Amino acid sequence: EGQYEKARHILYGIYDDFPDDDIEYREDYIDQLIDRCGICIAEREKHEKQEQQTASEQPVSRVNALRQHFSEQERQFKECEAAALDGDGEAQFRLGEMYLLGQGIDADPAQAITWWLGAADQGNTDAMYQLGVQYRKGLYVTQDESESEKWYRCASELGHSEAKRAVEALERRAARAAEETAMTPEELFAEGVS
């Protein structure tokens, strides 16, 4: 009722300039507006209550969703670990990824490398390629270009497309370096290499 009275007061104030002979029209018009305002006010109050209720429920829903997500990751980790321990090379590679990213377990890059080495020994080309990347960049292992090239070449020989591109890039760099060492100082200067 307080809202209706406020609306009536405001509306009467706005429409005080109606001529006195139109008082009936003015009151009808104001009553229609108040009814509309009442509906709007009631809808707004209902909407605000729903928003408050939803806002209070959302953190719980998000927390539950996160719990389910992490619970699912833990389940997947356990299944993957069991298969990896049984010698499944693909599971060993996937377990390495899980350790690296902290999916279903705390992140442990050293364990990732260990599992990738096991998977690579079984011929998993994705593991070989990842080891090539890790050794090239010195991520979680000591940087070692020859070890990187070894793993890239192993994966490439078994058909891994990204490893093939990496080997091609290594060969282009090696060819360019050989070409540069065969050039005279004047040729190097002309090429812009110092």
Side-chain angles (χ1 to χ4, degrees):
E1 261 184 46
Q3 293 290 339
Y4 291 117
E5 291 305 315
K6 286 180 185 175
R8 182 179 291 278
H9 177 68
I10 291 168
L11 291 172
Y12 271 116
I14 292 171
Y15 291 103
D16 272 342
D17 58 346
F18 271 104
D20 287 335
D21 58 336
D22 286 342
I23 204 100
E24 196 174 310
Y25 172 77
R26 179 175 71 172
E27 287 182 1
D28 286 341
Y29 185 76
I30 289 172
D31 285 339
Q32 289 174 11
L33 288 174
I34 288 172
D35 287 343
R36 288 184 194 157
C37 287
I39 291 169
C40 291
I41 290 167
E43 286 295 317
R44 189 184 76 218
E45 287 173 353
K46 179 181 172 186
H47 182 70
E48 286 173 355
K49 283 180 185 176
Q50 287 174 342
E51 282 182 343
Q52 288 172 351
Q53 185 178 6
T54 303
S56 66
E57 290 173 357
Q58 272 185 336
V60 173
S61 330
R62 287 182 184 161
V63 168
N64 287 339
L66 285 173
R67 281 185 185 143
Q68 288 174 348
H69 174 73
F70 289 122
S71 174
E72 178 63 19
Q73 281 188 343
E74 288 171 4
R75 184 193 61 74
Q76 289 174 352
F77 177 84
K78 288 175 185 174
E79 288 177 4
C80 191
E81 184 180 42
L85 289 170
D86 284 343
D88 182 328
E90 183 61 32
Q92 290 174 346
F93 170 71
R94 178 74 183 112
L95 192 64
E97 285 185 319
M98 293 173 126
Y99 269 111
L100 183 70
L101 301 172
Q103 294 176 336
I105 193 160
D106 291 335
D108 186 347
Q111 280 293 322
I113 299 296
T114 300
W115 283 107
W116 285 342
L117 285 166
D121 287 343
Q122 291 193 43
N124 185 290
T125 58
D126 289 326
M128 292 174 190
Y129 175 75
Q130 279 303 320
L131 288 167
V133 169
Q134 301 303 313
Y135 279 108
R136 181 176 58 81
K137 294 183 176 181
L139 299 172
Y140 317 115
V141 291
T142 303
Q143 188 172 13
D144 185 336
E145 289 293 327
S146 63
E147 191 71 9
S148 173
E149 184 175 348
K150 174 186 98 172
W151 287 115
Y152 280 149
R153 287 194 184 281
C154 287
S156 175
E157 289 168 8
L158 294 173
H160 194 280
S161 60
E162 291 175 68
K164 283 182 181 181
R165 285 192 292 278
V167 168
E168 289 168 1
L170 289 172
E171 289 172 350
R172 281 193 303 274
R173 269 189 247 129
R176 178 74 179 147
E179 184 181 296
E180 287 175 0
T181 56
M183 294 178 149
T184 65
E186 292 81 19
E187 291 172 324
L188 287 172
F189 182 75
E191 288 283 319
V193 180
S194 52

